[in-house]
C-alpha cells in the first residue's frame, strides 16, 4: 500500500467525502488526497451540490485564515498550538491533540450540520465504538435467544465488546461457534432467562416470538421480579402488547427493540435500534445497544417501535420491488441495466442499498442479507396495521403481491432482491 504523506491538520479530500471528518465518518487512509493538488480533479468527479458547498466552505475558510495571517505581526504566525509534524492517525473523541484540526469546527458551522430535534431520545451513536473498543460493557448477565442472520452478528459484537452472554437457539448446532468465542450455553429459553439479568430475543415472526415466550420451557417460566426481557423481532404491535403484558404480569420488565439493517450491518455493529417500553431497561441496555448498533432511539410506550419498524420495512420492501421493476423494464426496452445502475448511483437516489441490491441482481447473486420471506411478512403486517388505522396502503399492497409471486417461485430463503425473479418468470 502506498504511503500517504499527511500531517494532522492538513486539508484533505476524498471521492467519498471531503475533509478529514464530517460528523464522525470513516475513510480509508489510501482514499485521502491532499486538498490543493487534487481539488480540480475531485470537483470533476463529484458534481453534487453538497460537494461544491463543501469546497466553497473550505475556500471561504482559507481566505479568512489568510487574511488573519497577513494581519498579524507580519511574521505569518497564527495563534494556538503549532501544527504537528507527526503522521496522520485515527483521532478518538478523547484525543487531546485536536487543536490543529480546529478548522473543522468552522467548516462544520459553515455547512450547518444540524441534528434534527425530535421527541424521541437517542443513545450516543456508536459508529466508532465497535472500531476502537471503547465500550464499557455492563456488568449485567446477558442472554440471547435466536442466532439467525441478525442475531448471530449481534451476539458476536456483544462478545467482542466484553459482555457476558448466554445463548440458546432452536437448532443447537448454531451455538457452537459462539461457545468457542466465550459464550455460555443455555439448554432452554427458560434456563437462559433464569440465569441472566437481561435476555434479548430475535426470531422470525410473531408466531415464533410468542412460542418462545409462552411455549413449553419458554421465557415466561424463567421470568422473576426484576428480570428484563427485550424483544428484538420485527412483529406487529398486537404481539408486542401480548408479550409485554405476559412479562410484566410476572414482575418482569419489558422492552421492545427491533432493529433496522441487514446481516452485513449486524456483523459490522452498525444497526439502528428502535426501542419502546420500559425506559429503565433501555438505559440498562446502553452498552449492548452501542455494541450492536450505530444509534438507538427510544420511542415511548410499548408498540411504538413495532409500528415504526413496520413502516420502515414497508418503505424498503416497496422500494426494492420498484428497483426490480425498473431493471426489468430497462431490459425489456433495450436499455442497459448497468447503465441504469450507474445513473441511479449518480443521482438523488444514490445509496449503498441501491448499489448493493442492483449488483445482486446484475450478478445473479441472491445470498440472503435480509430474507425475502421476512420482508414479505413485514409488508403483510404493515398492510394489516394500515387496515386497523383505516389508512390506505396501495403501494405496499402491490409490492406484497410481487413478493408473494417470488415466494411461489421458491425465492423465500433468498435475499429480498430476488423479487427481481418475479418479473422475469
Amino acid at each position: 500500500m502506498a504511503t500517504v504523506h499527511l500531517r494532522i491538520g492538513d486539508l484533505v479530500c476524498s471521492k467519498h467525502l471531503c475533509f478529514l471528518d464530517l460528523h464522525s465518518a470513516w475513510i480509508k487512509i489510501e482514499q485521502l488526497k491532499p486538498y490543493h493538488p487534487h481539488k480540480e480533479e475531485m470537483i470533476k468527479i463529484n458534481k453534487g451540490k453538497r460537494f461544491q458547498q463543501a469546497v466553497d466552505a473550505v475556500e471561504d475558510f482559507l481566505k479568512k485564515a489568510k487574511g488573519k495571517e497577513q494581519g498579524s505581526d507580519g511574521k505569518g504566525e497564527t495563534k494556538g498550538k503549532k501544527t504537528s509534524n507527526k503522521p496522520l492517525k485515527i483521532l478518538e473523541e478523547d484525543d487531546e491533540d485536536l487543536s490543529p484540526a480546529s478548522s473543522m469546527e468552522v467548516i462544520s458551522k459553515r455547512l450547518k450540520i444540524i441534528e434534527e430535534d425530535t421527541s424521541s431520545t437517542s443513545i450516543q451513536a456508536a459508529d466508532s465504538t465497535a472500531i476502537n473498543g471503547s465500550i464499557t460493557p455492563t456488568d449485567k448477565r446477558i442472554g440471547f435467544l435466536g442466532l439467525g442472520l441478525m442475531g448471530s452478528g449481534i451476539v458476536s459484537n456483544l462478545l467482542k465488546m466484553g459482555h457476558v452472554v448466554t445463548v440458546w437457539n432452536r437448532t443447537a448446532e448454531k451455538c457452537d461457534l459462539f461457545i468457542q468465542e466465550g459464550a455460555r450455553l443455555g439448554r432452554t429459553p427458560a434456563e437462559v432467562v433464569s440465569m441472566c439479568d437481561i435476555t434479548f430475543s430475535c426470531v422470525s415472526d410473531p408466531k415464533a416470538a410468542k412460542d418462545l415466550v409462552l411455549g413449553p420451557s419458554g421465557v415466561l417460566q424463567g421470568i422473576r421480579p426484576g428480570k428484563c426481557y427485550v424483544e428484538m423481532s420485527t412483529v406487529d404491535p398486537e404481539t408486542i402488547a401480548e408479550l409485554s403484558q405476559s412479562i410484566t404480569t410476572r414482575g418482569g420488565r419489558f422492552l421492545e427493540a427491533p432493529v433496522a439493517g441487514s446481516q452485513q450491518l449486524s456483523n459490522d455493529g452498525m444497526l439502528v435500534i428502535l426501542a419502546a417500553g420500559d425506559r429503565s431497561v433501555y438505559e440498562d441496555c446502553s452498552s449492548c445497544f452501542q455494541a450492536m448498533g450505530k444509534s438507538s432511539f427510544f420511542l415511548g410506550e410499548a408498540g411504538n417501535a413495532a409500528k415504526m419498524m413496520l413502516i420502515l420495512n414497508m418503505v424498503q420492501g416497496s422500494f426494492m420491488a420498484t428497483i426490480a421493476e425498473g431493471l426489468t423494464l430497462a431490459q425489456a426496452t433495450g436499455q442497459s441495466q448497468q447503465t441504469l445502475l450507474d445513473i441511479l448511483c449518480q443521482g438523488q437516489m444514490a445509496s449503498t442499498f441501491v448499489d448493493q441490491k442492483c449488483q445482486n441482481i446484475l450478478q445473479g447473486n441472491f445470498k440472503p442479507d435480509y430474507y425475502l420471506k421476512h420482508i414479505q411478512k413485514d409488508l403483510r403486517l404493515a398492510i394489516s396495521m394500515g387496515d386497523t388505522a383505516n389508512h390506505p396502503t396501495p403501494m405496499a399492497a402491490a409490492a406484497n403481491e410481487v413478493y408473494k409471486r417470488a415466494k411461489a417461485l421458491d425465492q423465500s430463503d433468498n435475499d429480498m432482491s430476488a423479487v427481481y425473479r418475479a418479473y422475469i418468470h
Side-chain angles (χ1 to χ4, degrees):
M1 183 184 299
T3 302
V4 180
H5 298 287
L6 296 171
R7 298 173 302 165
I8 296 174
D10 283 352
L11 282 173
V12 295
C13 55
S14 163
K15 67 178 180 179
H16 297 295
L17 187 64
C18 193
F19 321 122
L20 178 62
D21 180 13
L22 275 184
H23 201 49
S24 299
W26 292 90
I27 307 173
K28 292 182 179 180
I29 189 69
E30 60 267 21
Q31 293 175 341
L32 296 177
K33 296 181 179 181
Y35 174 73
H36 291 291
H38 296 276
K39 181 179 73 172
E40 296 303 324
E41 173 191 346
M42 287 297 165
I43 290 175
K44 289 179 181 179
I45 296 174
N46 299 275
K47 298 182 182 298
K49 183 178 179 181
R50 288 185 179 180
F51 189 87
Q52 187 58 53
Q53 288 176 335
V55 172
D56 292 343
V58 173
E59 295 298 320
D60 182 60
F61 169 78
L62 291 175
K63 287 179 182 178
K64 290 180 179 178
K66 186 176 181 180
K68 289 181 180 179
E69 189 174 316
Q70 292 176 343
S72 63
D73 59 6
K75 296 181 181 179
E77 294 180 359
T78 57
K79 295 181 179 180
K81 293 183 181 179
K82 184 179 179 181
T83 301
S84 171
N85 287 321
K86 57 188 176 183
L88 185 70
K89 65 184 181 77
I90 298 299
L91 300 179
E92 298 180 3
E93 290 182 5
D94 58 352
D95 204 318
E96 295 180 356
D97 194 11
L98 293 177
S99 57
S102 61
S103 59
M104 278 308 305
E105 296 177 6
V106 179
I107 295 169
S108 295
K109 291 177 183 177
R110 173 83 168 116
L111 293 178
K112 299 180 180 179
I113 299 174
I114 301 172
E115 291 186 4
E116 183 180 2
D117 182 19
T118 67
S119 58
S120 66
T121 303
S122 172
I123 279 181
Q124 160 196 344
D127 319 64
S128 60
T129 52
I131 296 173
N132 64 33
S134 64
I135 292 174
T136 301
T138 178
D139 58 3
K140 297 183 183 299
R141 295 164 297 178
I142 305 300
F144 205 96
L145 313 174
L147 300 173
L149 287 183
M150 307 295 279
S152 293
I154 291 172
V155 170
S156 180
N157 281 307
L158 288 173
L159 290 169
K160 287 176 184 176
M161 295 298 113
H163 296 85
V164 177
V165 185
T166 300
V167 297
W168 174 89
N169 191 71
R170 185 176 56 183
T171 307
E173 291 75 15
K174 286 190 176 182
C175 297
D176 293 344
L177 176 62
F178 301 101
I179 302 303
Q180 294 173 16
E181 293 181 2
R184 302 171 182 178
L185 179 64
R187 292 174 296 179
T188 65
E191 183 177 86
V192 172
V193 173
S194 64
M195 293 169 58
C196 299
D197 302 304
I198 303 173
T199 300
F200 296 85
S201 71
C202 187
V203 292
S204 58
D205 56 32
K207 182 180 184 305
K210 287 190 277 190
D211 287 347
L212 196 61
V213 174
L214 307 173
S217 300
V219 167
L220 205 57
Q221 294 184 24
I223 289 291
R224 300 290 182 273
K227 295 283 187 181
C228 301
Y229 188 66
V230 183
E231 180 58 78
M232 304 192 78
S233 312
T234 301
V235 297
D236 54 280
E238 291 77 17
T239 295
I240 291 298
E242 182 178 351
L243 297 180
S244 177
Q245 183 176 11
S246 298
I247 297 296
T248 55
T249 299
R250 291 287 187 95
R253 300 156 63 202
F254 181 84
L255 184 77
E256 59 166 334
V259 293
S262 61
Q263 181 185 31
Q264 186 60 56
L265 292 175
S266 177
N267 292 341
D268 293 343
M270 295 295 284
L271 296 169
V272 176
I273 299 100
L274 311 180
D278 190 323
R279 177 60 183 264
S280 66
V281 179
Y282 174 69
E283 292 170 352
D284 286 344
C285 292
S286 177
S287 73
C288 297
F289 288 157
Q290 289 182 55
M292 66 180 76
K294 65 178 180 179
S295 58
S296 60
F297 295 85
F298 185 76
L299 303 178
E301 65 182 22
N304 284 346
K307 294 173 184 176
M308 186 67 81
M309 191 73 251
L310 290 178
I311 293 168
L312 289 172
N313 282 358
M314 178 190 75
V315 172
Q316 181 174 242
S318 300
F319 184 41
M320 181 67 252
T322 301
I323 293 171
E325 191 169 293
L327 285 169
T328 52
L329 182 59
Q331 185 178 47
T333 57
Q335 303 305 303
S336 166
Q337 293 179 323
Q338 181 61 58
T339 300
L340 173 60
L341 172 57
D342 293 341
I343 295 170
L344 285 172
C345 289
Q346 290 294 318
Q348 291 181 321
M349 290 185 290
S351 67
T352 302
F353 179 83
V354 169
D355 184 45
Q356 289 180 345
K357 296 309 179 186
C358 286
Q359 291 292 354
N360 287 353
I361 292 171
L362 296 182
Q363 296 168 13
N365 174 19
F366 299 109
K367 180 181 177 182
D369 196 38
Y370 195 97
Y371 284 121
L372 184 144
K373 62 185 177 184
H374 289 170
I375 199 69
Q376 189 274 321
K377 174 262 299 182
D378 297 342
L379 281 164
R380 173 174 55 81
L381 294 178
I383 293 166
S384 177
M385 185 171 72
D387 290 342
T388 301
N390 195 30
H391 183 81
T393 53
M395 302 299 292
N400 186 45
E401 292 303 315
V402 182
Y403 282 99
K404 285 164 64 177
R405 173 164 171 74
K407 286 177 65 177
L409 294 169
D410 296 324
Q411 301 303 310
S412 290
D413 292 324
N414 281 333
D415 186 71
M416 69 165 75
S417 53
V419 68
Y420 174 82
R421 289 181 170 165
Y423 287 97
I424 61 176
H425 289 284

